[in-house]
Amino acid sequence: LTPALSGAARESGLRDGDFDGDGRRDTIWLAAEDGGRIAVHVRLDTVGGGRDVRVTSLAAEANAPLDIEVVAAGAWAGDCGDYAEGCQAHIATGHDSLMLGMGEGKRVLIHWQDDHFEQDFVRGGDSLSALAGLLARNP
């Protein structure tokens, strides 16, 4: 279950986009977690109200901004490094997605697939891209 986003753990909306392709604007939220990690949530604007989905968790470095951006629909080249399982060489998205910069040119694309979010490593740096993405996934 997605933890509630309430009280001091909830920050103001960062960015928005239509992440699930339903024509409504959805919002990204961050929530502090135990161990100094930051949870990335998307609040989907649905017909029946809102639905909060925790999409990933990132290690938070003191005073370092998180590299999260909304990217438009498009085609991406997958990064199928040694540590990637079930990697797709080509990823096509039909609506907005999230791109997480992992440093050193490493990037993870978080996109809506049918009824849930998928994470795929995309080209943007050299070798350890897949390993960096694995470390960013939920523990």
Side-chain angles (χ1 to χ4, degrees), residues 50-106:
R51 175 180 162 212
D52 290 323
V53 179
R54 181 180 184 273
V55 296
T56 195
S57 175
L58 302 169
E61 297 178 25
N63 300 321
L66 294 176
D67 184 3
I68 303 173
E69 66 177 304
V70 175
V71 294
W76 308 92
D79 186 347
C80 297
D82 293 341
Y83 299 98
E85 293 181 20
C87 182
Q88 300 178 52
H90 303 286
I91 303 151
T93 60
H95 36 78
D96 295 333
S97 299
L98 298 176
M99 184 70 71
L100 303 180
M102 305 305 297
E104 300 178 19
K106 299 165 187 71

Side-chain angles (χ1 to χ4, degrees), residues 118-131:
E118 290 280 335
Q119 295 186 31
D120 287 294
F121 314 113
V122 293
R123 296 207 188 276
D126 42 30
S127 59
L128 297 175
S129 298
L131 179 58

Side-chain angles (χ1 to χ4, degrees), residues 14-15 28-41 54-62 64-69 98-103 106-110 119 121 131-139:
L14 297 172
R15 293 170 178 66
I28 301 169
W29 295 94
L30 300 180
E33 292 186 320
D34 292 338
R37 295 184 68 84
I38 301 292
V40 179
H41 294 256
R54 181 180 184 273
V55 296
T56 195
S57 175
L58 302 169
E61 297 178 25
L66 294 176
D67 184 3
I68 303 173
E69 66 177 304
L98 298 176
M99 184 70 71
L100 303 180
M102 305 305 297
K106 299 165 187 71
R107 300 184 304 165
V108 176
L109 178 69
I110 300 177
Q119 295 186 31
F121 314 113
L131 179 58
L134 287 172
L135 296 174
R137 289 182 183 250
N138 299 331

